[in-house]
Amino acid sequence: MFKLYYAPGTCALASHITLEEVGAPYSAERLNFKENQQNSPDYLKINPKGRVPTLVTDNGVLTETPAILAFIAHSFPDAKLVPQDPFAFAQVQSISSYLCSTVHVAHAHKMRGARWATEETSFADMKRKVPETMTTCFTLIERDMLRGPWVMGEQYTICDPYLYTIAGWLEGDGVDLATLPKVAAHRKRMEERPAVQKVLAEEKA
């Protein structure tokens, strides 16, 4: 039995969807960020980073979305959420790494400026830059990464719930989804999947 710690509206949605997709035995515990539960002493004992997602397994605790997604995929090989070919798997990891280290960070400048600066004027400047940086990131994804119908082409992989999760922030980041028809179509396909529908209903409850 796995235990996933998550908060609605965060990148933990990708891990939550993936656990549901593979039919993993798991429980999900919601953290209330407004009450700062992610920095509570009890949670920091589990994940000293004070962030989500966190996946508790029989082997220990995992953090960071790319690692959690790869672990779930390899733990449930029958679900075929990663390619068997080593180069294709490396491509999956490349996309996950880009979403984690570049796109998510660009988004975080809107509300997490204190991670990188101390002056209020710096926070405002970073926030103003978000529509531009997120548009640049997703223009690249639209043009070069999203093969269609899924990220890797015909095979649904762990890249898909991850892209879906971060693409869900675009409107709030000031990005015009009409300029990203492949990303918009991908979102629609994702929302037709039963696992996505179930998890969204749970996280919105």
Side-chain angles (χ1 to χ4, degrees):
M1 171 71 78
F2 300 130
K3 185 172 187 178
L4 176 73
Y5 289 88
Y6 77 97
T10 70
C11 64
L13 176 64
S15 298
H16 202 169
I17 291 171
T18 304
L19 285 168
E20 195 65 39
E21 286 277 7
V22 301
Y26 76 96
S27 62
E29 180 159 335
R30 182 187 310 216
L31 297 181
N32 189 328
F33 276 19
K34 290 182 180 179
E35 295 181 1
N36 202 33
Q37 284 185 327
Q38 72 274 23
N39 288 312
S40 67
D42 287 344
Y43 184 66
L44 290 175
K45 289 177 184 176
I46 300 167
N47 182 353
K49 298 172 183 176
R51 299 186 187 180
V52 293
T54 299
L55 186 68
V56 180
T57 79
D58 290 340
N59 295 321
V61 175
L62 285 174
T63 62
E64 305 300 335
T65 297
I68 291 172
L69 294 179
F71 170 77
I72 296 169
H74 285 292
S75 297
F76 297 86
D78 289 346
K80 295 181 170 55
L81 292 189
V82 291
Q84 291 186 327
D85 175 73
F87 184 77
F89 175 66
Q91 289 179 310
V92 165
Q93 292 297 82
S94 176
I95 293 166
S96 290
S97 296
Y98 180 69
L99 292 172
C100 178
S101 64
T102 300
V103 188
H104 193 158
V105 173
H107 164 77
H109 277 69
K110 183 174 71 174
M111 63 190 83
R112 307 291 185 198
R115 292 177 181 172
W116 300 284
T118 56
E119 300 293 335
E120 288 291 337
T121 54
S122 299
F123 301 158
D125 195 29
M126 282 188 272
K127 186 174 182 178
R128 282 192 297 269
K129 189 76 171 176
V130 168
E132 177 187 336
T133 54
M134 288 295 283
T135 296
T136 298
C137 289
F138 269 87
T139 298
L140 176 65
I141 291 168
E142 174 89 7
R143 186 187 69 220
D144 297 333
M145 294 185 180
L146 179 48
R147 299 177 187 177
W150 305 113
V151 174
M152 291 294 292
E154 294 299 320
Q155 182 180 359
Y156 178 93
T157 68
I158 55 175
C159 295
D160 293 294
Y162 203 3
L163 176 62
Y164 171 74
T165 295
I166 294 185
W169 304 336
L170 287 174
E171 288 92 340
D173 287 348
V175 179
D176 183 4
L177 197 62
T179 65
L180 303 166
K182 289 169 65 177
V183 172
H186 179 268
R187 179 189 291 186
K188 185 176 180 180
R189 275 190 292 275
M190 285 294 297
E191 290 176 347
E192 292 170 351
R193 297 181 73 88
V196 176
Q197 294 172 1
K198 181 177 178 180
V199 170
L200 289 179
E202 181 178 334
E203 293 206 0
K204 291 176 181 177

